[in-house]
Each structure stands twice: as C-alpha cells, then as structure tokens.
C-alpha cells in the first residue's frame, strides 16, 4: 500500500471518529437543514424543488440551509451555505443539522441522531430492479450483491419519510428497500414545475434562457447509465451507440437535439461538429426545464419517461441493448415492451424511421394507461405538502 493511500485512510478514519464525537457532544441545531442532489453532483431534482419552495415561503430567512457539492459550487437562490462533501465543515453540519433532505443513499459512516428528521425524496419511479430485488451487482465500488443489499437495508432504516410518485413505486420501495417508515404518497416535488410552467409564455422564456431557437423543434435525448460501463467509483461512460451523424442528417434541418447525460455519466465528446444541432446541457441545468422546451423525448430505461409523460408529448425508446439490460444488468419490474407509451427501436435507423413515421395518436391508449399508473399523485402541489410537513405553520402561506 502506498504512503498516499495510508495517509488518506488515516484522515478518513480520523474524520469518522470526529463525526461520532460531534454526534454525542454537540447539540442539534433546530433551525439547520442539510440538502444535496445526486450526492452533490448537481443542484436539481426533488431536493432543489423543496428548497426553492422554502425560498418562496421565506423559510431560508428562518432556517440555516446547507447545500453539499462534490466539485463545483452551484448557482443557488436564497440565503444558504455551500459546503464541499468530505470536508470538516461537512462533518460538522451533518452532525448538528435537525433536518436532512437527500435524494440518494448517503455515506454509510453516518449515524442519524434520534431527533433528526430525514426525508429521502429518491430520484425516480423504477423500471429497472433496485436494491434487495437485484440478482447481481455490476456497479463500481460494490464488492458483492449480499453486502450491497445489507448496506441498502441499513441505510433505508434511517429514513423517516420516503416520497413516492405512484402506488407502483410505494409497493416496490417498501420491498426493495425493506422500508417500513412513512411513505409520502404525494408525487414528486420536481414535477410541480411541469404544471406551473407548461404554457407558451414560460416555454419561450426558457428557450431564450437556454439559447434555443424558436424556429426549430426540440428533441431531448436523455439516456440512463449502464452499471458495467464505469471508469471509477460513481463515474460512468456515455454510451455512443446512437449514430449521431445519421440523426443529424435526418433531422438537422428541422430540429435541435438536446443531450442530457445521467448525473453519473462523465464524457468529453466534442459535439461542436454538428453545426449547433447537438446541444449538450451539463449538470447545472435542471432536466425539468429541458422537458418543458422539448417537443419529443428520446430515452431508454431512464425514469425520465415517468416524469415526461405528465406533458403528454411523444416519447421514443432507443433500446439497442434491451436483451442484455433486461436479462443481465438489472431486470425489469414490468413488461416494458408491452406497456411503453411509444415505439421501441434497437438501431439508429429504426429510431429515425419511428420518429418520422410513428404517430403519437397510435399510442394514445397505452400512453393514457401509462399516465394513470405512474402519474396519479403528481398534481403540482407536492412541494408545499413537504414543506408543511417539515416546518408546519412556519411555512404556511397561500399556495400557488
């Protein structure tokens, strides 16, 4: 073992001991809230939506809100503090905050104190199998499926509340996480904006903000990550199975393609050779804004399908590795091929053909069944329900 690794290990263990000491000796701060999205990789999703509801209600003037980040600071409204993951201040705030708001599992060394309120928002309705339902694990950093499941089980026992988007998710989460706490069956806070801003005026404003043209249609390509395509802990390759040259030749005149990677994906592909056809938006741009400005969605097995369906716009599924993903990497909870609210393509050629020829109306019945199943609780008021639950009358004001 190298000297550098020994030193890093010593520092890590010392920080854990210090955290445990703080947990015992330092009182909780009743007005302190710690928050992060995607383990500090972005400012987005359900935690962002809940926090911005706090800003709207003036709660950031009453509560000390601490956002954690992994690499770079975020552009965040309201009164807040930003702290880098793993630093001494991070340990201090985790040991002393009364409220935890996260959308993913946190480091296993953490110990939640008795009077801490932990709301786990999670980050999507599952198509692919999760946690205790998985038969194998291919993710970097996980030693065995047994250890992975046991760690997930222990982690879930610390959650006081878990947000669910639909009855299907409630059933899956309870089993896959071995979760017996309170399930908040209220839809996803991050989707409130899809009700508030789904109008011509707001969409035009968003297009100007994102520097997107008004005279072209927008297609959003948002694929998920592959468990076995990692190049380090929590970092995954972008799969280039979609032949972008062919897509550009087919749609470059009438469309702009927005590319949004999953937050675990890191890639340095240069997209500048497509004359502005491909626009890559990084982790600083919340995908909800991209939903609103796009005319169609191209995805695969990502949970973006469940959020985007709220808008009732066409969806296309580019599933070049369907057999391997379904039978080897993850496995599915339902018959995706039968119930998908849009055509499934296995090659770039067939995807192009489907976008040109498939009619949204032909999938109207499947689409409606999909929405009834997965969007029954999304109503534009999830944020206010969470804020009132956590902060009671202090957050009380007229809803939007």
């Amino acid at each position: 073992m190298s000297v550098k690794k020994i030193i890093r290990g010593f520092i890590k263990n010392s920080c854990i001991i210090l955290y445990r000491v703080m947990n015992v000796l330092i009182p909780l701060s009743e007005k302190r809230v710690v928050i992060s999205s995607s383990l500090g990789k972005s400012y987005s999703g359900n935690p962002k939506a809940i926090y911005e509801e706090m800003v709207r209600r003036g709660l950031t003037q009453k509560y000390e809100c601490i956002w954690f980040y992994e690499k770079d600071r975020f552009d965040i409204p309201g009164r807040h503090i930003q702290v880098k993951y793993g630093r001494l201040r991070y340990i201090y705030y985790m040991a002393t905050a009364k409220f935890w708001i996260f959308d993913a599992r946190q480091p296993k060394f953490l110990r939640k104190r008795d009077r801490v309120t932990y709301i786990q928002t999670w980050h999507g309705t599952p198509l692919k199998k999760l946690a205790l339902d998985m038969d194998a694990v291919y993710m970097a950093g996980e030693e065995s499926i047994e250890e992975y499941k046991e760690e997930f089980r222990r982690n879930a026992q610390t959650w006081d509340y878990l947000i669910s988007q639909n009855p299907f998710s409630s059933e899956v989460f309870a089993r896959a996480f071995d979760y017996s706490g309170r399930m908040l069956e209220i839809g996803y806070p991050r989707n409130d904006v899809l009700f508030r801003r789904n109008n011509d005026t707001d969409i035009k404003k968003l297009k100007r903000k994102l520097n997107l043209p008004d005279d072209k249609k927008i297609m959003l390509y948002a694929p998920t990550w592959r468990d076995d395509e990692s190049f380090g802990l929590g970092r995954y390759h972008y799969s280039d199975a979609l032949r972008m040259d062919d897509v550009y030749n087919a749609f470059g005149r009438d469309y702009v393609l927005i590319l949004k990677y999953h937050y675990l994906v890191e890639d340095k592909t240069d997209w500048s050779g497509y004359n502005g056809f491909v626009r890559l938006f990084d982790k600083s741009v919340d995908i909800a804004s991209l939903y609103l400005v796009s005319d169609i969605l191209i995805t695969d097995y990502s949970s973006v399908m469940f959020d985007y369906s709220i808008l009732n716009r066409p969806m296309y599924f580019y599933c070049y590795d369907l057999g391997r993903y379904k039978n080897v990497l993850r496995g599915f909870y339902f018959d995706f091929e039968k119930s998908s609210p849009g055509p499934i393509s296995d090659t770039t050629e067939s995807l192009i053909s489907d976008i040109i020829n498939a009619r949204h109306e032909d999938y109207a019945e499947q689409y409606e069944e999909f929405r009834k199943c997965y969007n029954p609780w999304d109503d534009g008021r999830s944020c206010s329900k969470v804020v009132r639950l956590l902060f009671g009358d202090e957050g009380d004001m007229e809803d939007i």
Side-chain angles (χ1 to χ4, degrees), residues 307-319:
D307 299 338
Y308 194 81
S309 63
I310 291 170
L311 298 174
N312 195 28
R313 299 177 190 174
M315 290 192 281
Y316 301 87
F317 298 89
Y318 180 50
C319 303

Side-chain angles (χ1 to χ4, degrees), residues 217-221 247 251 255-258 296 298 355:
K217 293 181 179 180
I218 308 295
M219 55 173 62
L220 169 60
Y221 181 39
V247 177
F251 301 111
Y255 280 88
V256 166
L257 183 144
I258 293 174
I296 67 172
I298 304 168
I355 294 173

